[in-house]
PDB file of all heavy atoms in Angstrom:
ATOM      1  N   VAL A 489     122.082  70.424 -27.732  1.00  0.00           N
ATOM      2  CA  VAL A 489     121.647  71.028 -26.486  1.00  0.00           C
ATOM      3  C   VAL A 489     120.745  69.996 -25.754  1.00  0.00           C
ATOM      4  O   VAL A 489     120.531  70.064 -24.621  1.00  0.00           O
ATOM      5  CB  VAL A 489     120.923  72.390 -26.709  1.00  0.00           C
ATOM      6  CG1 VAL A 489     121.876  73.381 -27.321  1.00  0.00           C
ATOM      7  CG2 VAL A 489     119.649  72.221 -27.524  1.00  0.00           C
ATOM      8  N   CYS A 490     120.076  69.164 -26.565  1.00  0.00           N
ATOM      9  CA  CYS A 490     119.258  68.036 -25.914  1.00  0.00           C
ATOM     10  C   CYS A 490     120.198  67.149 -25.084  1.00  0.00           C
ATOM     11  O   CYS A 490     119.915  66.824 -23.933  1.00  0.00           O
ATOM     12  CB  CYS A 490     118.481  67.288 -26.939  1.00  0.00           C
ATOM     13  SG  CYS A 490     116.976  68.141 -27.569  1.00  0.00           S
ATOM     14  N   GLU A 491     121.217  66.742 -25.705  1.00  0.00           N
ATOM     15  CA  GLU A 491     122.223  65.763 -25.101  1.00  0.00           C
ATOM     16  C   GLU A 491     122.926  66.467 -23.957  1.00  0.00           C
ATOM     17  O   GLU A 491     123.083  65.929 -22.876  1.00  0.00           O
ATOM     18  CB  GLU A 491     123.140  65.206 -26.064  1.00  0.00           C
ATOM     19  CG  GLU A 491     122.422  64.274 -27.156  1.00  0.00           C
ATOM     20  CD  GLU A 491     123.233  63.980 -28.340  1.00  0.00           C
ATOM     21  OE1 GLU A 491     124.421  64.460 -28.363  1.00  0.00           O
ATOM     22  OE2 GLU A 491     122.844  63.363 -29.315  1.00  0.00           O
ATOM     23  N   GLY A 492     123.481  67.675 -24.231  1.00  0.00           N
ATOM     24  CA  GLY A 492     124.290  68.352 -23.202  1.00  0.00           C
ATOM     25  C   GLY A 492     123.390  68.778 -22.049  1.00  0.00           C
ATOM     26  O   GLY A 492     123.827  68.691 -20.921  1.00  0.00           O
ATOM     27  N   GLY A 493     122.250  69.294 -22.357  1.00  0.00           N
ATOM     28  CA  GLY A 493     121.356  69.702 -21.297  1.00  0.00           C
ATOM     29  C   GLY A 493     120.951  68.571 -20.395  1.00  0.00           C
ATOM     30  O   GLY A 493     120.892  68.721 -19.168  1.00  0.00           O
ATOM     31  N   ALA A 494     120.636  67.309 -20.957  1.00  0.00           N
ATOM     32  CA  ALA A 494     120.302  66.231 -20.183  1.00  0.00           C
ATOM     33  C   ALA A 494     121.412  65.793 -19.234  1.00  0.00           C
ATOM     34  O   ALA A 494     121.227  65.537 -18.081  1.00  0.00           O
ATOM     35  CB  ALA A 494     119.855  65.080 -21.023  1.00  0.00           C
ATOM     36  N   GLN A 495     122.632  65.782 -19.756  1.00  0.00           N
ATOM     37  CA  GLN A 495     123.783  65.529 -18.907  1.00  0.00           C
ATOM     38  C   GLN A 495     123.954  66.498 -17.794  1.00  0.00           C
ATOM     39  O   GLN A 495     124.159  66.081 -16.616  1.00  0.00           O
ATOM     40  CB  GLN A 495     125.094  65.450 -19.865  1.00  0.00           C
ATOM     41  CG  GLN A 495     126.321  65.217 -19.012  1.00  0.00           C
ATOM     42  CD  GLN A 495     127.636  65.289 -19.820  1.00  0.00           C
ATOM     43  OE1 GLN A 495     127.597  64.753 -20.946  1.00  0.00           O
ATOM     44  NE2 GLN A 495     128.664  65.831 -19.357  1.00  0.00           N
ATOM     45  N   ALA A 496     123.905  67.784 -18.130  1.00  0.00           N
ATOM     46  CA  ALA A 496     124.120  68.741 -17.094  1.00  0.00           C
ATOM     47  C   ALA A 496     123.045  68.831 -16.042  1.00  0.00           C
ATOM     48  O   ALA A 496     123.311  69.173 -14.879  1.00  0.00           O
ATOM     49  CB  ALA A 496     124.144  70.184 -17.796  1.00  0.00           C
TER      50      ALA A 496
END
Side-chain angles (χ1 to χ4, degrees):
V489 302
C490 283
E491 294 164 4
Q495 176 182 318

